[in-house]
Amino acid sequence: MLISLLLSSFLTLVELNCENLFDTHHDVGKEDTEFLPDGTRHWTSTKYWGKVNRIGQEILSCSDQLPDLVALVEVENDSVLRDLTRRSLLRNAGYHYLMTESPDLRGVDVALLYHPLRFHPLCYETITVLPPKGMRPTRDILYVKGRCYSGDTLHVFVVHAPSRYGGARETEAYRLQVSRLLQQAIQHIGLQSHIIITGDFNDYADSPALLELCQQGLHNITSLSKGLHGAPGNYRFRGEWHSLDHVFTSPSLAQKVEATYINDAPFLLEDEPDYGGQRPFRTFQGMRYQQGFSDHLPLVARFLLH
């Protein structure tokens, strides 16, 4: 009874950029032809279902217990989320989900999986990121307010900020736009509330956009997180490890952090021939299909609620 009570006091969050979790059908108005059976990547049903099941395997490997909340980045549409939660290795996990439907040109969105016995959504909305001049339409921010099994109210934001393509400094204003929308939302909710902001920010912890969030009183609880097998970051570029994914919390929730880490399980990594060491084992290396997972490793944060 005591062990069961202690286990029920934990809330586990996983954040994962799935790297192009596309189905095999064309979404009208979206630039997704690359991931069609007759597209440049020859994205067949066999490859698609392999990807869906590997993402499920990756999520299940993040914790001894089933994660309560899973924030997902780069998921194409409702069909993909339905397949992931009902027809993949996750089909017995009982997850429900909420997701955005963004104006992103490629059609990628963000989503939150949740277990209804551990988290009950009270309301949700999408926050549109109006692009400044020169910026392509980008992903909406997903906001979900819900009640945890402990009775605590939790405010969760899932983010996929604009990429650094074209240069980090040249595109910095785009990510600052996202940061300032989050700051406005936080001011409306109140920093005394339990708040989680997570996702792929396409920025390092010391970037202006993320430092502004910290200046508002948020805590980047994963800024120093390492892999359980030694990975110093969750993304590797040209032989150097970094973290583009982060978990921020309000001060009240930062006090309840029990552990944070990167899931760098050996099966999620591959040898890197050009620079030595290992890198995340992704689905494609260039145009070569290799049955991998993602170019990002999952972040895990565990909270002890009372």
Side-chain angles (χ1 to χ4, degrees):
M1 177 66 73
L2 178 60
I3 293 175
S4 176
L5 183 62
L6 288 173
L7 289 175
S8 68
S9 299
F10 288 108
L11 182 138
T12 302
L13 165 78
V14 167
E15 185 279 335
L16 172 63
N17 183 324
C18 300
E19 191 190 19
N20 297 321
L21 185 52
F22 282 84
D23 64 17
T24 60
H25 306 287
H26 176 52
D27 283 0
V28 177
K30 299 298 183 181
E31 297 175 3
D32 62 356
T33 55
E34 179 182 7
F35 286 92
L36 295 177
D38 58 354
T40 54
R41 295 189 184 273
H42 305 289
W43 192 240
T44 63
S45 292
T46 299
K47 292 176 181 176
Y48 167 67
W49 281 107
K51 173 84 171 185
V52 168
N53 277 302
R54 280 187 284 276
I55 293 298
Q57 179 187 5
E58 189 166 5
I59 292 168
L60 291 172
S61 72
C62 285
S63 174
D64 292 337
Q65 282 190 291
L66 193 68
D68 303 294
L69 299 172
V70 184
L72 297 179
V73 174
E74 284 198 23
V75 290
E76 185 185 21
N77 52 34
D78 182 77
S79 297
V80 167
L81 266 294
R82 187 168 60 249
D83 287 342
L84 179 65
T85 56
R86 299 179 186 175
R87 302 178 67 188
S88 78
L89 293 175
L90 289 180
R91 61 186 175 275
N92 295 322
Y95 282 123
H96 294 194
Y97 63 87
L98 297 166
M99 72 178 303
T100 57
E101 188 173 345
S102 302
D104 177 81
L105 297 181
R106 296 177 65 237
V108 294
D109 284 292
V110 302
L112 182 71
L113 309 187
Y114 64 92
H115 197 288
L117 296 180
R118 307 280 287 175
F119 180 79
H120 174 67
L122 300 173
C123 63
Y124 79 99
E125 64 177 302
T126 59
I127 301 172
T128 300
V129 182
L130 295 176
K133 184 177 180 181
M135 175 179 161
R136 291 158 47 109
T138 191
R139 281 74 57 173
D140 294 339
I141 300 167
L142 176 63
Y143 164 65
V144 183
K145 176 183 177 181
R147 184 167 291 119
C148 300
Y149 58 89
S150 62
D152 293 295
T153 299
L154 188 62
H155 303 264
V156 183
F157 295 84
V158 185
V159 176
H160 186 190
S163 78
R164 301 159 72 91
Y165 182 76
R169 181 169 296 180
E170 290 77 4
T171 57
E172 185 177 279
Y174 306 160
R175 292 182 294 282
L176 281 166
Q177 175 88 340
V178 173
S179 176
R180 287 164 187 170
L181 283 172
L182 291 168
Q183 292 172 55
Q184 292 172 16
I186 294 161
Q187 291 169 1
H188 178 73
I189 295 169
L191 201 59
Q192 73 281 359
S193 302
H194 287 349
I195 300 170
I196 294 175
I197 303 176
T198 188
D200 179 356
F201 292 81
N202 270 309
D203 255 332
Y204 307 142
D206 60 354
S207 69
L210 301 194
L211 289 177
E212 281 196 5
L213 293 177
C214 294
Q215 289 163 2
Q216 291 295 314
L218 293 171
H219 294 246
N220 187 342
I221 63 171
T222 55
S223 62
L224 301 177
S225 297
K226 306 297 181 186
L228 296 179
H229 296 85
N234 84 319
Y235 178 82
R236 198 172 193 218
F237 181 67
R238 294 179 179 174
E240 294 186 3
W241 284 99
H242 301 282
S243 287
L244 298 174
D245 303 70
H246 307 271
V247 180
F248 291 85
T249 71
S250 53
S252 61
L253 204 53
Q255 296 174 1
K256 299 179 182 294
V257 174
E258 193 271 338
T260 68
Y261 56 90
I262 297 166
N263 178 15
D264 60 346
F267 71 90
L268 297 176
L269 300 169
E270 66 171 350
D271 291 335
E272 184 162 22
D274 293 335
Y275 298 97
Q278 292 189 304
R279 63 188 175 194
F281 183 27
R282 58 193 303 184
T283 305
F284 285 89
Q285 189 59 46
M287 295 301 293
R288 178 172 59 85
Y289 175 67
Q290 56 177 15
Q291 301 186 27
F293 295 81
S294 172
D295 58 345
H296 293 237
L297 297 172
L299 289 181
V300 185
R302 187 164 62 176
F303 304 88
L304 180 58
L305 302 179
H306 300 290

